[in-house]
Amino acid sequence: MTTVTTRPAESAPLNRPRLAKKASAVGRLTMSIVIGLLFLFPVVWTILRSVQTISAAAAGFGPGMFDGLTLEHYSALQGSGVNIWVYTGNSALVALGTTAVTVVVATLAGYGLARLKFAGAGIAFAILLTPFMVPFQGILTPLF
């Protein structure tokens, strides 16, 4: 008499179908576009409100709020003797300088915390990370 041993059937590896991967990629892309538009909305809104007429801005939100867009505010500002380009250049210089210094200091600090082993490294990291855990709205009131 012969005995036959059978092994349980091996299950196929769990591979996601190609369609599911594409759907996931499309979903991520769609979500990224929606989030990008949400971040862009305040900038576009500010620009549109700055080119409205005074009467349209005073009327508030409504169907005709963007009728008759004009650059009269900017021409009046330029004609008033105020050189807006000097102020814009100063703001850009301060913003770019602050960004450059922050990038350099943060890079050096991050490298030091990641590579150098020293006593209290965890505590130093926690002290640096703690302010980021407090929402800005929580510290906004004491600033004013």
Side-chain angles (χ1 to χ4, degrees):
M1 178 169 201
T2 61
T3 57
V4 178
T5 58
T6 59
R7 285 192 262 165
E10 292 183 21
S11 61
L14 297 174
N15 289 332
R16 291 174 58 185
R18 211 181 274 178
L19 182 61
K21 285 183 181 180
K22 284 190 177 193
S24 176
V26 168
R28 282 193 308 265
L29 179 64
T30 303
M31 188 58 90
S32 297
I33 290 172
V34 167
I35 291 172
L37 289 174
L38 284 174
F39 275 93
L40 213 64
F41 178 75
V43 175
V44 173
W45 184 259
T46 302
I47 292 169
L48 285 175
R49 292 292 282 188
S50 74
V51 295
Q52 279 184 322
T53 61
I54 294 173
S55 60
F61 191 76
M65 66 185 293
F66 294 118
D67 292 343
L69 299 179
T70 179
L71 295 174
E72 72 178 271
H73 304 297
Y74 292 103
S75 61
L77 182 65
Q78 194 64 29
S80 69
V82 175
N83 192 351
I84 192 168
W85 298 113
V86 172
Y87 297 130
T88 304
N90 289 342
S91 296
L93 181 68
V94 169
L96 292 173
T98 303
T99 302
V101 170
T102 301
V103 166
V104 169
V105 170
T107 301
L108 294 173
Y111 182 81
L113 282 172
R115 290 292 193 171
L116 304 175
K117 303 300 177 200
F118 58 91
I123 293 171
F125 182 69
I127 289 171
L128 288 172
L129 196 61
T130 301
F132 294 109
M133 296 179 189
V134 178
F136 184 71
Q137 292 82 358
I139 63 171
L140 184 65
T141 304
L143 288 177
F144 296 101

